[in-house]
Amino acid sequence: MKIQQLGVILSIALPMMLSNITVPLLGLVDTAVIGHLEHSYYLAGVALGSMVVTLVYWLCGFLRMATTGLCAQAYGSGSRERMLQILVNALFCASLISLLLLVLRAPLIDFALSLAGGSAEVQQQARGYIGIRILSAPAALANLALLGWMLGMQSAKAPMWQLIVTNTLNIAFDLLLVVGLDMKVEGAAWASVMADYCGLAMALMLSRKLWLAQWQQLPSFKECRAVFNWLGLRQLLALNRDIFVRSMALQACFAFMTFKGSHLGDHVVAANAVLLNFLLFVSFALDGLAYAVEALAGKAKGEGDEASFRQLVRSCMLLAAYCAGVFSLGFVVAGDQLIALLTDLPEVRSTAQQYLSWLQLLPVLAVWCFVLDGVFIAVAEGRAMRNSMLIASLGVFFPLWWLAQDWGNHALWLAMSGFMLSRGIGLGLLYRQAIARRRWFNQTAPG
């Protein structure tokens, strides 16, 4: 691994890893705050409600991923007009989807909870949580588009500050509303809504600063209208469609774990919420490396530099393997203590400890899919991501669970482990095939 290239990777990856971990850290604080209330159904209700909202927002993750890949390529080719067009189109999509979510809020909640199951107390807490959290949709989705655009601009510090400020405020609001004002589950939901809108203000300010640093003058409203066209929007939507299907398959697996766990009892769904928060912590940290791949590999693709592209992917894979090993070792050494930090409910703690071994294994099984996701986002190949995810979910996760369902909650964790491993294997095979055929670098590099 070349020292110079390592420095470039870390200049983006480290800020993104540090800022990314504030996202699951927020979930850990939510869990710790709610997990110390007097009844487990509070924690189970937040877990269920949070999963529904996360499912909806992560289904819209294409707004970040597609924007990053396309913008990084436009940055590499030096096209100011194209970069503005991508941003305008992404924000238009975010606004349209947000409006639909707000209009359809009531039937969406009814449908999600009809699938989820759980006790009457858990359903009641989840319903209140979702009804409040969905109000943040306009800010949350616009934040995704702006985050993707800033990453495509090769900026790591701007997205870092956006995420750190947003999630630090969320934690502060959590402590104020849940602990200070005793608002319980509603307090956790309102804390997230308030933080998302503060984050949007921060993202707009940072995006403005980035644009002025690059081009000295902000685009006019007339210029924004001029670059918006249905052809460009169709290209973005075509990539978004594939990533949307991919995200739907991914979230179906996580939602299934929560929904199926709710049928196994409040203590099981609460324990799974604790362990899944740790898994999300690992995922978001490793996604920092994936973001570096998206930005740098997308730029190399725009420049037509195949050698840098391939070396970059190898270096990031090696770094990711080191990080995954550290996380697995950490869960082996301090797993019980970490669980105790999040909840003092004896039944939830003992249940979580029964399934801790799966969490200790998952980082090294899942590591490859994160970096390879970044590669395929960088080259704007949503179809390959979609197909590999469908195979991993429909061909591995659900069949594995069905075959082992007599094992109860262990079957869910077995299915998740097989799912993560198969994602990496599938994308790895597709990557090797594309590199062997030089499919991404057959065109002449832009002058």
Side-chain angles (χ1 to χ4, degrees):
M1 189 186 303
K2 295 181 180 179
I3 299 298
Q4 183 179 4
Q5 187 180 58
L6 177 62
V8 173
I9 294 171
L10 292 178
S11 69
I12 293 181
L14 282 180
M16 291 314 303
M17 290 176 78
L18 290 173
S19 56
N20 263 13
I21 62 175
T22 64
V23 180
L25 182 61
L26 167 63
L28 293 174
V29 172
D30 268 347
T31 303
V33 170
I34 301 297
H36 286 83
L37 296 179
E38 61 271 23
H39 299 294
S40 63
Y41 62 71
Y42 287 124
L43 179 56
V46 168
L48 197 57
S50 181
M51 176 56 67
V52 172
V53 176
T54 300
L55 172 62
V56 172
Y57 288 171
W58 276 18
L59 285 177
C60 300
F62 59 77
L63 289 168
R64 187 206 64 77
M65 290 185 280
T67 303
T68 299
L70 293 173
C71 185
Q73 292 185 37
Y75 184 89
S77 62
S79 174
R80 174 186 181 276
E81 181 180 344
R82 178 65 177 144
M83 294 186 73
L84 178 60
Q85 182 186 62
I86 293 166
L87 177 60
V88 170
N89 288 340
L91 288 174
F92 177 81
C93 287
S95 301
L96 184 61
I97 296 170
S98 299
L99 179 62
L100 289 173
L101 288 176
L102 293 176
V103 170
L104 300 174
R105 180 175 57 162
L108 173 67
I109 294 173
D110 289 340
F111 175 71
L113 293 182
S114 69
L115 296 176
S119 66
E121 292 87 353
V122 170
Q123 287 253 332
Q124 180 183 358
Q125 299 301 323
R127 181 178 295 276
Y129 183 91
I130 299 168
I132 296 170
R133 272 294 306 275
I134 206 72
L135 297 175
S136 69
L141 300 193
N143 279 335
L144 288 175
L146 291 167
L147 176 63
W149 186 82
M150 288 188 285
L151 283 169
M153 286 279 288
Q154 310 299 293
S155 171
K157 290 185 178 179
M160 176 187 74
W161 285 116
Q162 180 201 358
L163 290 172
I164 287 177
V165 169
T166 301
N167 292 301
T168 301
L169 284 173
N170 203 333
I171 292 170
F173 290 144
D174 243 348
L175 296 174
L176 172 64
L177 299 180
V178 179
V179 178
L181 300 180
D182 196 28
M183 292 177 64
K184 295 186 170 63
V185 171
E186 288 187 356
W190 278 116
S192 296
V193 173
M194 293 161 62
D196 279 335
Y197 281 99
C198 291
L200 176 58
M202 183 76 175
L204 290 169
M205 182 186 71
L206 292 169
S207 298
R208 179 181 184 275
K209 185 177 179 180
L210 270 179
W211 187 278
L212 289 174
Q214 185 72 25
W215 290 295
Q216 288 76 54
Q217 185 177 359
L218 292 174
S220 65
F221 179 73
K222 184 177 180 181
E223 188 179 2
C224 292
R225 284 188 60 186
V227 297
F228 177 80
N229 62 74
W230 292 107
L231 182 62
L233 187 62
R234 281 177 60 189
Q235 182 185 7
L236 182 67
L237 289 174
L239 178 56
N240 285 347
R241 178 195 61 218
D242 292 329
I243 298 178
F244 176 82
V245 174
R246 172 253 182 205
S247 298
M248 183 177 289
L250 172 64
Q251 290 308 308
C253 296
F254 278 95
F256 186 84
M257 279 201 72
T258 300
F259 292 170
K260 201 66 184 177
S262 69
H263 293 286
L264 298 175
D266 290 356
H267 295 153
V268 171
V269 72
N272 281 354
V274 170
L275 297 178
L276 283 172
N277 270 310
F278 288 127
L279 178 58
L280 288 177
F281 185 91
V282 174
S283 300
F284 276 94
L286 293 177
D287 263 342
L289 275 171
Y291 288 0
V293 174
E294 293 171 26
L296 297 172
K299 181 173 178 286
K301 173 71 165 62
E303 294 170 342
D305 189 347
E306 182 177 7
S308 293
F309 180 93
R310 296 177 66 173
Q311 180 60 40
L312 173 78
V313 175
R314 284 195 293 268
S315 298
C316 285
M317 293 289 282
L318 185 59
L319 282 172
Y322 290 150
C323 292
V326 170
F327 282 123
S328 284
L329 181 61
F331 291 134
V332 169
V333 173
D336 290 342
Q337 292 81 358
L338 290 171
I339 291 171
L341 285 176
L342 295 195
T343 180
D344 55 5
L345 296 170
E347 301 89 347
V348 176
R349 286 172 61 173
S350 63
T351 304
Q353 287 164 354
Q354 293 177 34
Y355 307 104
L356 179 61
S357 57
W358 292 107
L359 184 66
Q360 294 164 350
L361 183 64
L362 266 165
V364 294
L365 295 180
V367 59
W368 314 113
C369 65
F370 296 109
V371 176
L372 289 167
D373 269 346
V375 173
F376 283 89
I377 290 169
V379 297
E381 279 220 8
R383 181 177 298 180
M385 296 174 65
R386 178 199 67 191
N387 293 343
S388 64
M389 186 66 77
L390 288 174
I391 292 171
S393 57
L394 300 179
V396 177
F397 179 89
F398 289 105
L400 264 182
W401 169 81
W402 185 81
L403 289 171
Q405 59 184 299
D406 290 342
W407 297 359
N409 199 42
H410 280 293
L412 291 172
W413 284 100
L414 172 65
M416 180 58 67
S417 300
F419 167 71
M420 288 292 193
L421 178 61
S422 61
R423 282 177 61 196
I425 292 173
L427 288 172
L429 293 173
L430 291 172
Y431 173 75
R432 291 189 62 181
Q433 183 184 70
I435 289 297
R437 296 179 179 178
R438 299 192 70 245
R439 191 171 73 240
W440 298 328
F441 290 91
N442 283 334
Q443 297 178 348
T444 304

